[in-house]
Each structure stands twice: as C-alpha cells, then as structure tokens.
Amino acid sequence: MSALQGSGGPRSRLNGERERTIYAGVLGLVRDVGFEALTMDMVSARLRTSKATLYRRWANKAELVAAALSHAQPVSVDTIDSGTLAGDLDELAVRAGGCAAEASSLFSAMTHAMRTHPDLEQAMRRHFIDVQLDAVRTLVARAVRRGEVEQDCPAVPHFAELVVGALVSRHFLTGCDSDPAYLRDYFRSVVLPSLGCPQPGSDWTS
C-alpha cells in the first residue's frame, strides 16, 4: 500500500529503507507510550530525523501513524486469488491469523485513541480501514462474477464487515486472538453459509 503524503508541502526525499525505519520506529513508540502521548518531537529524537522532514511528508502525527500501520499491514488481501471464495477465505485465515496477536494489540490501542481524536479516526478510515474493506469486497465481487454467489444475495453488502470484524474484534470481546483455526471455522460456519455457499471439505480448499 502506498505511504501517505502530508498536505503541508512538497514530498521529502526519503528513500524506501529510511521510510521503513521511520514507520517501524513510530509503531514502536505507539506500543511504548500510546498515541495520546506520542509527539513528533519523540519521533524526531528517536529516529534522528528533523521535524521539518517529518512534516514535509506527513501533515501531523495522525497521518504518520496511519501511514505506519498501513505500511506494516501484514496481510495484502489484493494478492489473494485462489479461484474460489472458499479458497480465498482459507488463505486469508492463514495470513491474518498468523499475525493476529500483534495486530490485535496495535488495533486495540488505536481504537481507543480514535474515539477521542477525530483526526486519527479520519486518517485511519481513509488510509487503512476503508482500504482493507475495499480489498475484502473484491473477494466477494469475484465470487459473484464466477457464479459462486448470487448477485442479489442479501448478505453480499455485509460481507466485508463480517470478514474484517472477525479479524479485529475477537480480542476486544473475548481476550482471544483470531488465529487461523478460529478464522477458518468462522468463515466456514458463518460467512460462507450467509452467502448461500456450500461448506467446503476438510481441507477447506477443495
């Protein structure tokens, strides 16, 4: 996913490696102190980067944090295309479930901050949440085109929320991570039946 560019001036000359270092450092600070206590001064000091360089690239700390989360997103949904919806969901379960603990911890911290910081909520929705929802919608759109799912199925408009909700909400609700086994079972017993799809076999990709 592309990084964000602040609206306050021209794009700074940060190479890819330096950009990745900044993103990793920012997420480390978020884990250490939380979004509320995070400042651009902290980022500048820890990463030995001038604030002028940071502000040329990112308009504020909300944009920077959203960019860091987007860049660190370990699951690239738009690269999943197995040829069937069941296979796509199986692959998503493996990819997303494999990094569930770290993702849940970060997202939980950000969810609280989003409630009290409208700029963060807007940045997260624009550059992270909406991007993920749109990518997941492509999975069911392909299934409709292939004839696996009826176009007028009433569950189709809710597919993305059903899938993404399972990825991010279980830890908050139960304290348990959405690991691959849980996601496979959820996709098999909840998501696919809601779309009128037959449950796959034991290997879940047949």
Side-chain angles (χ1 to χ4, degrees):
M1 296 178 189
S2 61
L4 312 183
Q5 181 175 351
S7 58
R11 184 185 179 97
S12 62
R13 296 178 180 275
L14 291 173
N15 63 36
E17 182 177 355
R18 184 57 178 157
E19 188 176 85
R20 288 190 292 272
T21 299
I22 290 174
Y23 288 150
V26 167
L27 293 183
L29 282 167
V30 170
R31 293 186 187 95
D32 291 344
V33 305
F35 178 82
E36 290 87 349
L38 177 70
T39 66
M40 294 298 251
D41 286 310
M42 287 182 184
V43 177
S44 175
R46 175 170 289 194
L47 298 169
R48 299 180 181 179
T49 300
S50 72
K51 286 201 298 180
T53 297
L54 296 175
Y55 279 117
R56 278 197 298 269
R57 184 66 189 275
W58 300 281
N60 50 51
K61 73 171 183 178
E63 293 287 329
L64 175 54
V65 170
L69 284 167
S70 179
H71 181 271
Q73 174 61 24
V75 180
S76 182
V77 179
D78 54 6
T79 65
I80 296 176
D81 189 0
S82 69
T84 68
L85 183 58
D88 290 347
L89 290 175
D90 188 33
E91 180 63 21
L92 179 59
V94 172
R95 294 191 192 185
C99 55
E102 181 177 1
S104 296
S105 175
L106 267 177
F107 197 81
S108 294
M110 299 309 298
T111 299
H112 173 74
M114 286 167 62
R115 294 194 190 102
T116 55
H117 294 80
D119 56 341
L120 176 63
E121 180 179 4
Q122 291 171 10
M124 287 288 290
R125 290 194 183 283
R126 184 169 64 251
H127 301 291
F128 183 73
I129 298 173
D130 288 348
V131 171
Q132 294 302 311
L133 288 171
D134 286 344
V136 170
R137 288 185 185 110
T138 64
L139 302 183
V140 75
R142 286 199 304 256
V144 170
R145 290 196 298 270
R146 288 191 297 255
E148 295 177 79
V149 177
E150 296 292 334
Q151 188 169 5
D152 60 354
C153 172
V156 167
H158 308 294
F159 174 80
E161 287 82 358
L162 281 172
V163 171
V164 176
L167 300 179
V168 301
S169 65
R170 190 185 188 214
H171 184 84
F172 174 76
L173 293 172
T174 68
C176 300
D177 295 321
S178 297
D179 57 28
Y182 167 80
L183 290 174
R184 286 193 186 100
D185 182 63
Y186 174 82
F187 293 153
R188 180 188 304 179
S189 61
V190 176
V191 177
L192 288 173
S194 76
L195 297 168
C197 296
Q199 291 191 15
S202 58
D203 65 359
W204 219 61
T205 57
S206 60

